[in-house]
Amino acid sequence: MKKIIILFLFQLVSMAYVSFGQDYGSDLVGFSCSITGKPTLLVTKMTKLAVNSNYKGLKTLLLYGNDGERYLSAALCEALQARNIIVFTQAEKNCIEKLYHSDAVVPICSGCTVFKQVSMSQLLNGISDDQIDTLTRKWAKILSEQKS
């Protein structure tokens, strides 16, 4: 009986974390989330844009995307620009500069227990206490290296 109760509680807690993460929907940034350890739908979407060389789509998300899209787009576009794969217009440069100072919050997940919101400026400036900013830069670097 004790084992059944423990198993039930474990499942209940696991389901709470999974549903909490799904509440964020299309904004959620994570490379190994929930019990499955898979990237979020947003990370998968952004990866496909980069793999398919849809740079116009990535740049459009800088201006018009949700907070998660703008964060990942900025990191990815900067990595692509560093390898001379794309060139920024002045408006795009200004937009990225504003994102570095933005208080907008980006929902992040890490593993099956960490679901929280971090400011865009903390993530882009690499001063968040999570590893998500480091993982984002590695992800962007890998994708940009595949294109050169």
Side-chain angles (χ1 to χ4, degrees), residues 117-142:
Q117 296 186 6
V118 181
S119 78
M120 180 96 60
S121 62
Q122 285 180 308
L123 290 170
L124 287 173
N125 289 299
I127 56 172
S128 102
D129 59 351
D130 298 287
Q131 294 295 313
I132 200 77
D133 51 351
T134 303
L135 291 172
T136 300
R137 292 189 194 291
K138 287 180 181 178
W139 166 80
K141 183 179 179 197
I142 289 167

Side-chain angles (χ1 to χ4, degrees), residues 95-107:
C95 178
I96 289 175
E97 181 64 29
K98 286 180 184 176
L99 292 177
Y100 268 85
H101 301 287
S102 173
D103 290 331
V105 292
V106 179

Side-chain angles (χ1 to χ4, degrees), residues 43-118:
V43 170
T44 302
K45 170 188 169 182
M46 300 297 283
T47 300
K48 285 179 184 176
L49 287 174
V51 167
N52 294 330
S53 302
N54 187 348
Y55 306 133
K56 184 177 180 180
L58 287 171
K59 288 176 153 191
T60 299
L61 290 174
L62 280 172
L63 302 169
Y64 304 109
N66 62 40
D67 293 332
E69 290 169 333
R70 292 185 310 143
Y71 165 62
L72 290 178
S73 183
L76 191 49
C77 284
E78 285 185 322
L80 292 166
Q81 189 269 336
R83 294 195 154 285
N84 297 317
I85 297 170
I86 63 171
V87 176
F88 290 132
T89 64
Q90 189 59 47
E92 292 162 347
K93 287 179 187 177
N94 293 343
C95 178
I96 289 175
E97 181 64 29
K98 286 180 184 176
L99 292 177
Y100 268 85
H101 301 287
S102 173
D103 290 331
V105 292
V106 179
I108 64 166
C109 69
S110 180
C112 58
T113 59
V114 177
F115 290 95
K116 63 183 196 176
Q117 296 186 6
V118 181

